[in-house]
Amino acid sequence: MTTASGDGTDKAFYVTTPIYYVNDAPHIGHAYTTVAGDVLTRWHRQRGEKVHFLTGTDEHGQKILQAADAHGMTPQEWCDHMVSTAWLPMLTSIDAANDDFIRTTQPRHTERVQEFWQRLYDQGEVYSGSYTGPYCIACEEFKVPGELIQPGDLCPIHTRPVEMLSETNYFFRLSYYADRLLEAYRSGEIRVEPESARNEVLRFVETGLNDISMSRSTFDWGIGVPWDPAHVIYVWIDALLNYWTAVEGSAEYWPADVHLVGKDILRFHAVIWPAMLMAAGLPLPKLVFANGWLLVGGEKMSKTKLTGIPPQRITDHFGSDAYRYYFLRELQFGQDGSFSWESMAARYQSELGDQLGNLASRLTSMVGRYRDGVLPDAVIDEGIAAAMVTARDDAEAAIDRLDFQSALAAVMTFVRIVNGYVTEREPWKVAKDDSRASELDAILYTTADALRAMAVLLNPVMPKACAKLWQQLGAPGELADARVQKVADEHLPAGSNVVKGDLLFPRLADEGTEA
RNA sequence: GGGGCGGUAGCUCAGCUGGUCAGAGCAGGGGACUCAUAAUCCCUGGGUCGCGAGUUCGAGCCUCGCCCGCCCCA
């Protein structure tokens, strides 16, 4: 468990988010997936593993071209603008520690995409054909006739008329891989989770696959098909490759350990993408995990209808730590979940302020008052030590299932236990009796050491607050170097300087409730 | 139309292969305490488990039908 990827090799634990379409304004749904990936990688880092976390932007396709035109820019200028003003700032606001940020317009991507498809073309995986059907420009997709809204043949997503389009383009023989895909799901060569997502994929592939068009010729904002300059590669077929191109296909990173995706793009990642890799003879990603939608006020946010909430609006008020905590604690990862400003405020105050933050205040204040800020020499209480082990074990197991909610619940249970311990042992009464000095020492030491463990276990989720806590406890060394596996074996040294610093999660003015 | 998933206490949700599975947290009510961010700790939950049938000795948990919500269907 302590080696790089758990299997004794040098391979990094490689996690990806979807690459986000630059035309969208970043909303909390995008940030949710990114936070999950970030916490997952930070957790593995806290184990001492080598990790690699990739996110980025998807920049080709007809919609980009249209948006650029509308703004009087070239497509590249438009993408540059969106990346620098919207997408990179989003990562900053949620405190994402991604190792790389790939853009599909970068040469490192476009050149490898062309090499990849040239290879498949040469191998006979691609053939020329034609397709005619109703096409929605906004979706950049052909629609199934039955799903159009009547009257008027409107796109069900955009409620705008579709156009009948006939294209001669290139097809990838996806159908050829149906059986091999099924075998890969069943053998566990590639896992698709949660179970609902796996079921969907299995049923879908079991009923047979159609070959898919991998090129477009009605516009030119895309990566050129290397053997036919009149075509560009279909944006999805281009975008999926980012996970591989970003790491140059290096065995140090590839295959990816986890692709985090939204449930709407599950099939691209669990069917088309692995088939592409099979065709190229490359290893498959180990896990595709689909998370659900964020509902706001009971309704889903829409990428295209601009009803999304920008993450900054929340982080400006609550801070990035609370933001990261809230979404992973409140929602069951993999299912749809609800966001509300009220529940965010309630979690913040109750769990972060009243339980965790206040516990730190209680301890630092008492060590200051009763022991002049010097941590006494004592041994940690056995019951608390046992609870610490339980919290760590439960959290570790949950993280391995990508069950962030349970992982955080496990740590918060520990916080509750320690608050209860302090209340029960009544150190403020013990302090009045000099003959009970060693008892007081034990209570203070136990509480301080429990807080130390909390800082380690919560650092992947709330790095800023945990750094503060680490410092207030006078803990030695770098928090980043504290191994989660050893959290119950290492202890604060006696004599540490404990200081009551700024509140970890101060009470916030009750504002912004209009959300 | 087809496929997948969900509909459990006021709110957000747990409930694995059917028999303490009717639960947790928050909110609300009562009490204790004062180290602390008016925080903490203890006690307190009687909700047709979407609706209607069925299988079973016994069903949120299985089957069928229906209603509602969400995702997907180059």
Side-chain angles (χ1 to χ4, degrees):
Chain A
M1 290 296 282
T2 57
T3 52
S5 58
D7 59 7
T9 71
D10 256 354
K11 186 187 170 303
F13 185 78
Y14 179 26
V15 178
T16 71
T17 73
I19 50 173
Y20 302 111
Y21 205 54
V22 286
N23 255 23
D24 299 326
H27 60 60
I28 55 177
H30 302 112
Y32 176 45
T33 310
T34 306
V35 163
D38 192 61
V39 169
L40 183 61
T41 54
R42 284 183 192 253
W43 193 284
H44 280 261
R45 274 198 194 97
Q46 201 78 48
R47 288 177 180 169
E49 296 176 18
K50 177 176 169 183
V51 301
H52 193 71
F53 180 38
L54 174 72
T55 187
T57 46
D58 180 7
E59 307 188 0
H60 290 126
Q62 195 164 14
K63 265 190 288 186
I64 304 287
L65 194 57
Q66 290 169 336
D69 281 347
H71 290 82
M73 297 185 200
T74 66
Q76 190 63 64
E77 285 169 348
W78 172 246
C79 293
D80 292 348
H81 174 257
M82 289 301 287
V83 167
S84 63
T85 63
W87 289 95
L88 291 177
M90 186 273 274
L91 293 178
T92 302
S93 72
I94 60 173
D95 204 14
N98 50 299
D99 297 285
D100 194 3
F101 186 91
I102 189 166
R103 301 179 53 183
T104 57
T105 52
Q106 290 169 334
R108 62 172 174 157
H109 178 72
T110 59
E111 289 169 9
R112 292 194 184 100
V113 168
Q114 289 188 316
E115 290 166 12
F116 182 94
W117 281 103
Q118 181 68 56
R119 174 145 59 113
L120 263 54
Y121 182 70
D122 293 342
Q123 291 172 3
E125 301 285 346
V126 174
Y127 62 91
S128 171
S130 76
Y131 179 81
T132 303
Y135 184 89
C136 173
I137 290 176
C139 297
E140 293 185 39
E141 280 179 359
F142 283 98
K143 314 304 289 187
V144 173
E147 69 181 310
L148 300 177
I149 296 176
Q150 300 304 336
D153 286 343
L154 306 179
C155 165
I157 295 172
H158 298 91
T159 59
R160 50 180 292 172
V162 297
E163 304 168 19
M164 284 305 285
L165 214 65
S166 183
E167 265 194 315
T168 294
N169 45 36
Y170 293 95
F171 284 76
F172 168 55
R173 55 168 190 165
L174 179 64
S175 59
Y176 179 78
Y177 292 96
D179 290 341
R180 285 180 56 186
L181 283 166
L182 287 172
E183 176 53 31
Y185 304 136
R186 287 169 183 150
S187 70
E189 181 181 359
I190 180 171
R191 289 185 293 134
V192 179
E193 295 182 5
E195 193 177 354
S196 56
R198 174 183 163 86
N199 289 342
E200 182 190 322
V201 168
L202 280 173
R203 288 302 93 71
F204 177 63
V205 178
E206 280 168 358
T207 58
L209 296 173
N210 294 318
D211 292 344
I212 61 167
S213 166
M214 54 75 61
S215 73
R216 295 288 123 103
S217 59
T218 52
F219 59 92
D220 65 358
W221 180 240
I223 299 175
V225 170
W227 61 87
D228 186 342
H231 291 252
V232 294
I233 295 172
Y234 174 44
V235 61
W236 262 110
I237 298 298
D238 141 16
L240 287 165
L241 275 159
N242 88 88
Y243 308 121
W244 182 75
T245 63
V247 296
E248 305 178 29
S250 162
E252 188 181 350
Y253 303 102
W254 194 259
D257 289 272
V258 183
H259 284 321
L260 298 177
V261 303
K263 65 177 180 179
D264 53 325
I265 55 175
L266 174 64
R267 288 186 188 176
F268 288 101
H269 287 83
V271 180
I272 298 173
W273 175 226
M276 284 165 56
L277 291 166
M278 284 175 176
L282 295 169
L284 272 37
K286 295 174 185 170
L287 172 64
V288 175
F289 196 103
N291 68 252
W293 287 115
L294 245 34
L295 307 179
V296 178
E299 293 183 5
K300 67 164 181 167
M301 290 182 302
S302 165
K303 291 201 291 190
T304 313
K305 293 176 183 170
L306 298 176
T307 55
I309 299 171
Q312 284 90 337
R313 182 144 156 239
I314 299 171
T315 54
D316 283 350
H317 185 69
F318 292 101
S320 61
D321 278 354
Y323 184 101
R324 296 160 60 90
Y325 177 82
Y326 171 78
F327 282 98
L328 296 183
R329 174 75 176 93
E330 176 83 7
L331 279 29
Q332 178 63 44
F333 197 62
Q335 294 184 192
D336 290 353
S338 303
F339 166 82
S340 75
W341 195 272
E342 291 74 14
S343 73
M344 168 98 219
R347 288 264 184 214
Y348 177 88
Q349 185 170 118
S350 166
E351 297 184 3
L352 297 182
D354 296 350
Q355 292 177 50
L356 177 61
N358 184 52
L359 178 61
S361 286
R362 302 175 82 181
L363 180 275
T364 54
S365 171
M366 285 191 283
V367 174
R369 178 185 295 218
Y370 305 135
R371 291 293 182 264
D372 296 320
V374 178
L375 188 67
D377 191 5
V379 174
I380 184 169
D381 177 88
E382 281 182 25
I384 296 300
M388 186 187 292
V389 169
T390 299
R392 181 253 275 146
D393 289 349
D394 289 354
E396 283 271 66
I399 288 291
D400 283 335
R401 300 191 304 270
L402 271 63
D403 182 355
F404 300 102
Q405 189 181 47
S406 295
L408 286 173
V411 180
M412 289 314 294
T413 295
F414 181 53
V415 175
R416 275 172 196 279
I417 289 171
V418 177
N419 262 317
Y421 166 83
V422 173
T423 301
E424 225 170 90
R425 300 298 295 266
E426 302 179 308
W428 47 93
K429 285 185 180 171
V430 177
K432 289 174 181 165
D433 184 346
D434 287 342
S435 71
R436 300 171 72 185
S438 65
E439 184 183 343
L440 179 61
D441 288 348
I443 298 168
L444 296 178
Y445 184 82
T446 293
T447 307
D449 202 49
L451 280 160
R452 182 211 105 249
M454 291 168 201
V456 175
L457 294 173
L458 292 171
N459 190 41
V461 181
M462 300 186 285
K464 290 174 178 167
C466 290
K468 269 195 210 172
L469 176 55
W470 193 254
Q471 192 172 19
Q472 289 178 12
L473 294 171
E478 295 296 317
L479 175 53
D481 295 331
R483 296 285 77 92
V484 60
Q485 301 93 322
K486 294 183 180 170
V487 75
D489 306 315
E490 297 174 340
H491 299 287
L492 280 174
S496 297
N497 289 312
V498 177
V499 295
K500 174 151 187 167
D502 295 339
L503 296 180
L504 262 29
F505 301 100
R507 285 183 93 75
L508 296 174
D510 198 18
E511 55 179 307
T513 48
E514 75 278 7

